[in-house]
Amino acid sequence: MPFELTILGSSSAIPTSERYPTAQVLNVLGRFFLIDCGEGTQIQIRRQKIAFGKIKHIFISHLHGDHFYGLIGLISTFNLLGLKNDIHIYSPSQLKDVIQTQLDFLKGEMQFKVIFHPLNFKKPQLIFEDKKVEVISFPLKHSINCCGFLFREKPKEANIKKECIEQYQIPVAQIRAIKQGADFLTAEGEVVPNAKLTTPPPPPRSYAFCSDTAFYPQVVETIQGVNLLYHEATFTEELRDWAERTYHSTALDAAKTAQMAHAGKLIIGHFSTRYKEVEPFLEEAQTIFSNTEVAIDGKTYSVKK
Amino acid sequence: MPFELTILGSSSAIPTSERYPTAQVLNVLGRFFLIDCGEGTQIQIRRQKIAFGKIKHIFISHLHGDHFYGLIGLISTFNLLGLKNDIHIYSPSQLKDVIQTQLDFLKGEMQFKVIFHPLNFKKPQLIFEDKKVEVISFPLKHSINCCGFLFREKPKEANIKKECIEQYQIPVAQIRAIKQGADFLTAEGEVVPNAKLTTPPPPPRSYAFCSDTAFYPQVVETIQGVNLLYHEATFTEELRDWAERTYHSTALDAAKTAQMAHAGKLIIGHFSTRYKEVEPFLEEAQTIFSNTEVAIDGKTYSVKK
């Protein structure tokens, strides 16, 4: 079952001819979460051949235009296509007014609702969950209110060993309880410990999106052990004063965060257009976190089981 | 001196992976007029290597999103780049409110003004002129208020023949008057007629943009004799009922307009995504107007002197 991130846009505030503004799609077990929605996101979604109808949850980290200007165009297209699924938007509360002013100009009647869920900028918060997946927002440190998002599978049940079912003649009615950790009591009164009956489930997979932010070690507790981490790296250390003034990170900051969080892999993006090449970012990050990659528009990064 | 149109986007309401929503840049003698500004326009401008600082006049035909969703991103980028030229926007009056709500979220102080000029939907109107160029808006027939735009050079002065200056010893002070049509009186009292002294100037070049519209022969008077005509062609005759219901044109409608206006050349675009190929549009238009081309994103069409 998929757990994969596709980069739709990885530029900083000003798009380039190769990089769109920030947008990503995370496919977790067939759920398509859209993370930020810079200008041109709908074009990139179409290029990736992702069905628009699969997108029902959109997470907007903050209200700088390069992270949300594509939203109205996307909603407009949902409307023109006659889609009917309600769209849930997790964002700073003010986004509702901005979008509503523009929704008033849409052609025809929308057959779906746009439901806004305001983010909490004080502390981490569970903002979405279903049977298998949960999403937690967590505050970042930017020039305006900004959140990151942690997406993770819920813990799975253990696997029961088939041979044990036969050996101990375990009734179907008790299998669920054993998968969830119970021991088994045989007809002879013998207690078979759970560890003997099961193999542990694969560990839940996770992805964290650290949008625009200064170096902010407070996030580490929330994202500890994350498999895949995207962290912005607008500058390199050479322009550390710029990074601090604008509440952005350097590639080294991103790598430090990945290191402290014991992340499996780091992807960096949001490069300032002051830089003509991305190699300096990669080299800087890899000095302390070797499993770093540079975000590339259109590339997909999978987290294996 | 250039008079050339570059197509930045030629899709209809829903962009495709090959066509952006409507946007064009017309370069008239070094003036860069932006015509409509669908989502992604700033990316296309950058790809065309057109300097953002050259764009000072933006013409928005109507308030369907595919014609203006790129505007806020473009203005935001102008701001981030620290540009200082005021931006003039010629558009339906309501656009001001939509943009203002979003401008409130821009980072830092803007060093330029955004000046809105409301369009007239009742009759043709001169909306811009300088020494060499003028722009006239004219009403179209769409589901909401919509204007087309005619861009044309002002008539140039005649060229005075060098050999006549010598032959008749014409004083410098009189050259301007002769270029503007005056005859010349020699010292001997002989009247040299203007036609003998001058060659006619090259005819003024012109471009007309017929944005979203049903077939509307009333435009022909305004655009009569235009060198280059863009006319939307959302459908072919096969879907005439759709065209009529949505106040759009067929390729045949576009060609009829070009024919009636005695246009030099016709470019068609704004194709519905219901069509997988553009050939049917071209074939249909060419049945009555052979000098038709299909708009291609990134292509430039020159009007020669």
Side-chain angles (χ1 to χ4, degrees), chain B residues 208-258:
Chain B
F209 171 74
C210 288
S211 183
D212 294 14
T213 186
F215 177 58
Y216 193 50
Q218 283 88 328
V219 304
V220 169
E221 188 184 338
T222 306
I223 66 172
Q224 191 59 235
V226 72
N227 298 107
L228 184 63
L229 169 65
Y230 168 91
H231 197 291
E232 72 118 301
T234 309
F235 300 102
T236 59
E237 284 294 311
E238 200 182 19
L239 291 177
R240 163 143 297 279
D241 54 332
W242 270 85
E244 288 182 3
R245 200 157 58 234
T246 58
Y247 291 86
H248 281 296
S249 291
T250 65
L252 195 70
D253 291 334
K256 269 193 228 166
T257 307

Side-chain angles (χ1 to χ4, degrees), chain B residues 171-182:
Chain B
V172 171
Q174 291 195 36
I175 286 177
R176 189 76 201 270
I178 293 168
K179 280 183 165 186
Q180 291 173 348

